[in-house]
């Protein structure tokens, strides 16, 4: 992770953005430390190569916001909503995601290794080549998500709703799939990945 942590030039420390309504903010290489963004509303803002350490995003709403190549450490995303946001190349370390809702947007190349996403919902999101190694997604939802090229080794997708998602890169021998909810087409994709010869009756 250290190799991907941006070098920041300025720091915003222990600031209170509670209930703050922001539109069109632009921050580059800024370190946000212990900032309270609970219940904040953020629209059409851009954060480039910023770091967020122990920042509270609880119950916040992010709409059409870009977090490009950012790093999040120890952040809380309880009941936060991200709509059409772009988080390409961002890294998450020791963050909490209870009741997180992500709708559409581009989360390609995002690093979420070992993340606990069991109560999170991702819908219509692009997550190409995302790192979900060892992610705990039991009972979560990845509906209509582009997971092509995603790293899912040792991820736990037990009871996870995967309907409509691209599972072409999934290795069922290294990913836990018990009771996962999938479609017939996805079942065929997984069967082929297991080396089965699927034929019409």
């Amino acid at each position: 992770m250290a190799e991907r942590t941006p070098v920041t030039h300025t720091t915003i420390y222990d600031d209170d953005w509670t209930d703050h309504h922001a539109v069109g903010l632009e921050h580059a290489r800024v370190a946000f430390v212990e900032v309270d963004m609970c219940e904040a509303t953020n629209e059409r803002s851009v954060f480039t190569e910023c770091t967020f350490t122990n920042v509270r995003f609880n119950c916040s709403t992010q709409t059409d916001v870009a977090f490009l190549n950012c790093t999040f450490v120890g952040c809380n995303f309880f009941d936060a909503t991200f709509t059409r946001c772009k988080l390409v190349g961002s890294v998450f370390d020791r963050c909490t995601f209870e009741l997180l809702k992500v709708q559409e947007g581009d989360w390609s190349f995002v690093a979420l290794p070992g993340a606990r996403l069991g109560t999170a919902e991702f819908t219509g999101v692009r997550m190409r080549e995302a790192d979900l190694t060892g992610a705990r997604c039991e009972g979560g939802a990845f509906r209509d998500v582009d997971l092509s090229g995603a790293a899912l080794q040792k991820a736990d997708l037990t009871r996870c709703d995967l309907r409509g998602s691209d599972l072409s890169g999934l290795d069922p021998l290294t990913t836990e799939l018990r009771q996962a909810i999938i479609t017939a087409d996805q079942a065929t994709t997984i069967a082929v990945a297991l080396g089965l010869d699927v034929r019409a009756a």
Side-chain angles (χ1 to χ4, degrees), residues 111-179:
L112 285 159
R116 292 184 175 272
L117 301 170
T119 62
E121 296 180 6
F122 290 80
T123 306
V125 185
R126 183 183 229 186
M127 298 186 74
R128 291 186 177 181
E129 298 190 46
D131 183 1
L132 291 165
T133 305
R136 303 295 302 271
C137 307
E138 309 98 308
F142 288 81
R143 294 291 308 272
D144 301 310
V145 174
D146 183 356
L147 289 168
S148 55
L152 293 163
Q153 293 85 354
K154 297 184 179 179
D156 190 345
L157 303 179
T158 301
R159 302 186 310 280
C160 192
D161 190 345
L162 302 170
R163 287 175 291 176
S165 293
D166 185 340
L167 303 179
S168 58
L170 184 148
D171 182 352
L173 296 178
T174 63
T175 305
E176 181 59 68
L177 290 168
R178 285 178 301 151
Q179 299 178 19

Side-chain angles (χ1 to χ4, degrees), residues 31-192:
F32 295 85
V33 181
E34 302 283 352
V35 176
D36 191 347
M37 298 188 183
C38 292
E39 300 185 6
T41 301
N42 193 3
E43 300 178 46
R44 301 188 300 280
S45 296
V46 179
F47 299 85
T48 305
E49 296 186 344
C50 294
T51 62
F52 299 83
T53 304
N54 298 329
V55 174
R56 294 171 291 283
F57 290 90
N58 307 45
C59 303
S60 68
T61 301
Q62 314 288 328
T63 305
D64 297 310
V65 177
F67 295 90
L68 305 176
N69 296 308
C70 292
T71 296
F72 301 84
V73 179
C75 295
N76 193 329
F77 294 94
F78 174 79
D79 204 21
T81 300
F82 286 72
T83 304
R84 298 186 303 277
C85 292
K86 187 173 185 179
L87 283 90
V88 175
S90 290
V91 176
F92 295 83
D93 180 34
R94 302 189 304 278
C95 296
T96 56
F97 303 97
E98 282 83 0
L99 302 179
L100 171 70
K101 299 176 186 65
V102 181
Q103 301 166 351
E104 301 181 343
D106 192 347
W107 289 51
S108 297
F109 305 102
V110 161
L112 285 159
R116 292 184 175 272
L117 301 170
T119 62
E121 296 180 6
F122 290 80
T123 306
V125 185
R126 183 183 229 186
M127 298 186 74
R128 291 186 177 181
E129 298 190 46
D131 183 1
L132 291 165
T133 305
R136 303 295 302 271
C137 307
E138 309 98 308
F142 288 81
R143 294 291 308 272
D144 301 310
V145 174
D146 183 356
L147 289 168
S148 55
L152 293 163
Q153 293 85 354
K154 297 184 179 179
D156 190 345
L157 303 179
T158 301
R159 302 186 310 280
C160 192
D161 190 345
L162 302 170
R163 287 175 291 176
S165 293
D166 185 340
L167 303 179
S168 58
L170 184 148
D171 182 352
L173 296 178
T174 63
T175 305
E176 181 59 68
L177 290 168
R178 285 178 301 151
Q179 299 178 19
I181 304 170
I182 60 175
T183 64
D185 289 342
Q186 290 172 311
T188 299
T189 298
I190 293 172
V192 171

